[in-house]
Amino acid sequence: MKQVTKGTLGGIIPPIITPLTKEGKLDRDGMCKVIDHCIDGGVTGVFTMGSTGEAMRTSRDVWREALKVSLEHVNNRIPVFCGCVDSTTERALENIKEAEQLGAKYVVATVPFYIQNTCQDEIIRHYEKIASSTDCNVVVYNIPGMTGTCIAPETIAELAKIDNITAFKDSSADWEHFQRCMYLLEDADISIFNGAEELCAAAMVFGADGCVPGLGCLFPKVFKDMYDAAQKGDVQAAYGFQRQVWHVRKSLSVGKSWLSSMKYLGYLLKLSSTDYTSFPIEPLTDAEKTKIDQIVKESGLA
């Protein structure tokens, strides 16, 4: 299967959960277990302190410590995408400088949010400023459901011309949008990743470099197998793996917050000592946990 771009990154790079103690502190052992679980499952990188990692909800100390533990524990075995997400360009740059001091080589930034962007030109200026202010590889992260702004395909095509912008993660869950991005990035020197779990197989069969799926940190092997099937052009096998993901993904809509479900899945798989989620996210009830237990059992993934 020919990859669409000339990017050097590929495969499955899951955003990992951030195991927390009941006091809201980082569960360092849990963090290391999650990372080892991902590596053992065949991932090609990990994304720490993204949406799945509760980056915008944990304390600043937890954010910093999670990056530090991730970088130290991975120890250059695979790339670590360090989430430096914040609401303005200057705040994102402050995060990037801290990440650099910890040894980061890849940093991830969304568009500014809260005060939303007025046009795509502002998005280009934002990333130009970030890229020119760091020697790190910059990953452009499109997640309009969180930021309120979608990065247009033409905009990422323009940003791909910047040397140290090396990857694009699209979590728009908009198949037409993702296709347009792939068309415009054909032969560009950037890697393109799909971030919507429900579109992973289709994206990789079409030639995306890989996927960044939240459930990939809990069930890495099924996504690795899906990637391998897509690389071989085995659409039927990729479809089967996507169907398993579709089934286990039902667990994310059981409670009031998908993050509570993610954290419980981590606890269920013995990757963390608690299922504590950053305050004030609504925790799961015992009945909801039982329902998730059944979904996972029926999925055949654990």
Side-chain angles (χ1 to χ4, degrees):
M1 192 74 187
K2 181 182 181 297
Q3 290 180 331
V4 168
T5 76
K6 294 180 180 177
T8 58
L9 295 168
I12 304 301
I13 303 180
I16 59 177
I17 59 172
T18 304
L20 299 171
T21 68
K22 291 180 179 178
E23 294 74 36
K25 304 296 184 183
L26 181 69
D27 174 3
R28 296 173 63 94
D29 290 341
M31 195 85 180
C32 294
K33 283 182 182 179
V34 171
I35 291 168
D36 289 339
H37 179 67
C38 288
I39 292 175
D40 291 344
V43 306
T44 51
V46 291
F47 174 15
T48 189
M49 283 285 114
S51 305
T52 300
E54 302 167 84
M56 297 306 295
R57 287 183 175 270
T58 62
S59 70
R60 185 79 183 176
D61 287 343
V62 167
W63 172 81
R64 187 183 300 105
E65 189 177 7
L67 292 190
K68 185 175 187 292
V69 170
S70 298
L71 289 164
E72 289 179 351
H73 190 68
V74 168
N75 194 25
N76 294 315
R77 288 178 288 171
I78 54 176
V80 177
F81 284 14
C82 294
C84 295
V85 175
D86 220 313
S87 56
T88 69
T89 305
E90 292 305 325
R91 289 188 179 195
L93 285 173
E94 288 175 354
N95 293 345
I96 288 169
K97 292 305 177 186
E98 283 201 62
E100 285 177 339
Q101 292 169 9
L102 295 171
K105 296 179 181 177
Y106 295 88
V107 294
V108 184
T110 64
V111 300
F113 50 89
Y114 185 67
I115 297 179
Q116 292 184 15
N117 303 277
T118 62
C119 59
Q120 294 291 308
D121 287 341
E122 286 186 356
I123 295 173
I124 292 173
R125 294 181 68 215
H126 169 68
Y127 283 110
E128 284 178 338
K129 177 70 171 178
I130 286 174
S132 65
S133 301
T134 182
D135 292 327
C136 289
N137 296 284
V138 177
V139 180
V140 175
Y141 185 7
N142 185 42
I143 184 164
M146 300 289 190
T147 63
T149 304
C150 189
I151 300 173
E154 294 77 11
T155 298
I156 188 59
E158 185 66 25
L159 292 173
K161 298 173 185 177
I162 299 173
D163 287 344
N164 61 329
I165 291 183
T166 56
F168 173 57
K169 179 194 175 186
D170 179 45
S171 293
S172 67
D174 181 333
W175 179 238
E176 181 181 4
H177 180 271
F178 190 76
Q179 285 183 89
R180 287 173 60 207
C181 289
M182 286 199 294
Y183 299 152
L184 292 179
L185 292 174
E186 286 178 1
D187 295 323
D189 188 14
I190 189 173
S191 297
I192 181 170
F193 291 89
N194 175 64
E197 292 153 346
E198 64 272 33
L199 298 178
C200 280
M204 293 190 292
V205 165
F206 264 57
D209 295 284
C211 284
V212 186
L215 284 171
C217 79
L218 302 168
F219 307 102
K221 188 176 184 304
V222 70
F223 287 97
K224 170 63 164 57
D225 290 344
M226 188 192 300
Y227 172 78
D228 290 343
Q231 288 295 105
K232 295 173 184 175
D234 190 341
V235 176
Q236 186 173 356
Y239 175 90
F241 294 127
Q242 184 69 69
R243 197 176 193 286
Q244 282 186 288
V245 170
W246 166 76
H247 188 90
V248 79
R249 197 168 180 270
K250 294 176 185 178
S251 63
L252 301 185
S253 58
V254 169
K256 294 182 177 65
S257 169
W258 63 272
L259 276 168
S260 293
S261 298
M262 288 288 292
K263 299 303 280 288
Y264 177 66
L265 287 168
Y267 174 75
L268 184 65
L269 296 171
K270 298 180 171 57
L271 299 176
S272 55
S273 58
T274 75
D275 62 349
Y276 183 82
T277 310
S278 52
F279 197 83
I281 295 173
E282 186 73 11
L284 297 171
T285 64
D286 289 341
E288 289 167 342
K289 292 178 181 179
T290 299
K291 189 172 182 179
I292 290 176
D293 293 347
Q294 187 63 29
I295 290 172
V296 172
K297 181 179 180 182
E298 291 173 354
S299 74
L301 293 178

